[in-house]
């Protein structure tokens, strides 16, 4: 019976996408609308969220192959990627380093909860990687996933508007920025904007995940030192 929630998730998302498609606004995001719908549903009815989470486990399992599928648009841009691979690596490294360091610096000003801080480390990578990294460094995987979704939604809603504000119009730069900061949700938005943006966002998503997994233990060590001071 609880697996009706899985069907409901798909139907609500498809309905939101259909209804919101004529609206030309970053806020008209079907994922955001679906999240708000289910928040309201579980807040104002006796339905149990744990049953919903259990029913939707297949979607969690599908996250990893979905990330692998992002290699398809990437393959179409191989010549461009080869020409600029060194720049791409440097850009993604700086993006990951700045994302983690600024997040942790601000969080340390507000809390000394080590588990919370460790869960924030992988905030800018896709959910499967974020959950694995959080478990690796001693954080909470569900909390990391929730933060990732929030960050991705913010990036998808305002990322391209912010890039436009700063006159960043190169599609490759736009894609790298979205993939590095807003992971899979930002990449989905980049694919809507253009194939080139989508391909470079996919590349940034993958590279950011690898770099975050490498850098996270060093930042976890830093957090441990800062909390004990």
């Amino acid at each position: 019976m609880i697996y009706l929630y899985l069907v409901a998730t798909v139907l609500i998302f498809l309905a939101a996408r259909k209804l919101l498609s004529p609206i030309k606004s970053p806020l008209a995001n079907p994922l955001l609308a679906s999240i708000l719908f289910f928040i309201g549903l579980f807040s104002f009815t006796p339905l149990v969220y744990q049953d919903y989470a259990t029913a939707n486990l297949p979607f969690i399992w599908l996250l990893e192959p979905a990330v692998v599928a992002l290699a398809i648009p990437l393959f179409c841009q191989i010549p461009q990627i080869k020409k600029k691979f060194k720049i791409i690596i440097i850009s993604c490294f700086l993006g990951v380093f700045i994302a983690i360091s600024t997040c942790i610096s601000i969080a340390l000003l507000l809390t000394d909860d080590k588990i919370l801080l460790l869960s924030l480390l992988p905030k800018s990578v896709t959910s499967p990687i974020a959950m694995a990294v959080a478990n690796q460094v001693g954080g909470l995987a569900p909390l990391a996933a929730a933060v990732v979704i929030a960050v991705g939604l913010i990036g998808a809603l305002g990322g391209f508007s912010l890039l436009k504000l700063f006159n960043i119009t190169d599609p490759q730069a736009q894609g790298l920025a979205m993939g590095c900061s807003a992971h899979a949700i930002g990449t989905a938005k980049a694919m809507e904007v253009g194939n080139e943006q989508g391909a470079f966002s996919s590349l940034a998503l993958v590279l950011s995940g690898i770099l975050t997994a490498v850098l996270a233990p060093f930042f976890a060590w830093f957090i441990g030192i800062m909390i004990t001071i």
Side-chain angles (χ1 to χ4, degrees), residues 2 6 10 13 15 27 33 36 38 48 58 81-82 91 94 99 101 145 149 154-155 166 180 186 194-195 218 227:
I2 65 170
L6 189 148
V10 175
F13 178 80
L27 294 175
L36 293 175
F38 283 107
V48 180
I81 292 169
K82 284 182 177 178
S91 300
L94 290 174
S101 57
I149 292 171
I154 292 171
F166 286 95
C180 195
N195 291 332
F218 297 99
I227 291 177

Side-chain angles (χ1 to χ4, degrees), residues 69-125:
L70 293 172
I72 296 172
L74 206 59
F75 178 78
C76 299
Q77 297 292 331
I78 283 179
Q80 292 292 330
I81 292 169
K82 284 182 177 178
K83 291 178 183 177
K84 302 179 179 179
F85 192 68
K86 184 177 179 180
I87 297 172
I88 291 169
I89 289 289
I90 294 171
S91 300
C92 289
F93 176 82
L94 290 174
V96 169
F97 184 84
I98 292 171
I100 298 177
S101 57
T102 53
C103 173
I104 296 305
S105 297
I106 294 170
L108 281 169
L109 295 174
L110 302 174
T111 182
D112 61 354
D113 187 324
K114 186 176 181 180
I115 293 179
L116 174 59
L117 292 167
L118 293 173
S119 301
L120 291 174
L121 279 179
K123 74 173 185 65
S124 293
V125 296

Side-chain angles (χ1 to χ4, degrees), residues 14-218:
L14 293 176
R17 188 170 67 175
K18 181 71 173 178
L19 292 171
L20 297 174
S21 59
I23 303 174
K24 304 301 180 183
S25 168
L27 294 175
N29 186 296
L31 179 59
L32 176 62
S34 302
I35 290 173
L36 293 175
F37 172 85
F38 283 107
I39 288 175
L41 181 68
F42 292 111
S43 298
F44 300 107
T45 69
L47 295 175
V48 180
Y49 170 74
Q50 283 72 20
D51 291 341
Y52 175 82
T54 300
N56 282 276
L57 279 176
F59 289 133
I60 303 298
W61 300 332
L62 287 171
L63 283 173
E64 294 182 18
V67 173
V68 176
L70 293 172
I72 296 172
L74 206 59
F75 178 78
C76 299
Q77 297 292 331
I78 283 179
Q80 292 292 330
I81 292 169
K82 284 182 177 178
K83 291 178 183 177
K84 302 179 179 179
F85 192 68
K86 184 177 179 180
I87 297 172
I88 291 169
I89 289 289
I90 294 171
S91 300
C92 289
F93 176 82
L94 290 174
V96 169
F97 184 84
I98 292 171
I100 298 177
S101 57
T102 53
C103 173
I104 296 305
S105 297
I106 294 170
L108 281 169
L109 295 174
L110 302 174
T111 182
D112 61 354
D113 187 324
K114 186 176 181 180
I115 293 179
L116 174 59
L117 292 167
L118 293 173
S119 301
L120 291 174
L121 279 179
K123 74 173 185 65
S124 293
V125 296
T126 192
S127 296
I129 299 174
M131 295 170 72
V133 169
N135 281 328
Q136 176 191 5
V137 298
L140 292 175
L143 178 57
V147 173
V148 163
I149 292 171
V151 170
L153 280 171
I154 292 171
L157 293 174
F160 278 100
S161 298
L162 189 62
L163 291 169
K164 185 178 179 181
L165 178 65
F166 286 95
N167 199 32
I168 300 172
T169 57
D170 182 84
Q172 297 175 6
Q174 289 179 337
L176 288 174
M178 291 297 289
C180 195
S181 60
H183 52 82
I185 300 176
T187 298
K189 181 65 178 178
M191 288 179 173
E192 293 177 10
V193 175
N195 291 332
E196 196 168 6
Q197 287 92 335
F200 276 80
S201 185
S202 300
L203 177 60
L205 182 154
V206 174
L207 290 175
S208 296
I210 296 170
L211 291 167
T212 298
V214 172
L215 292 174
F218 297 99

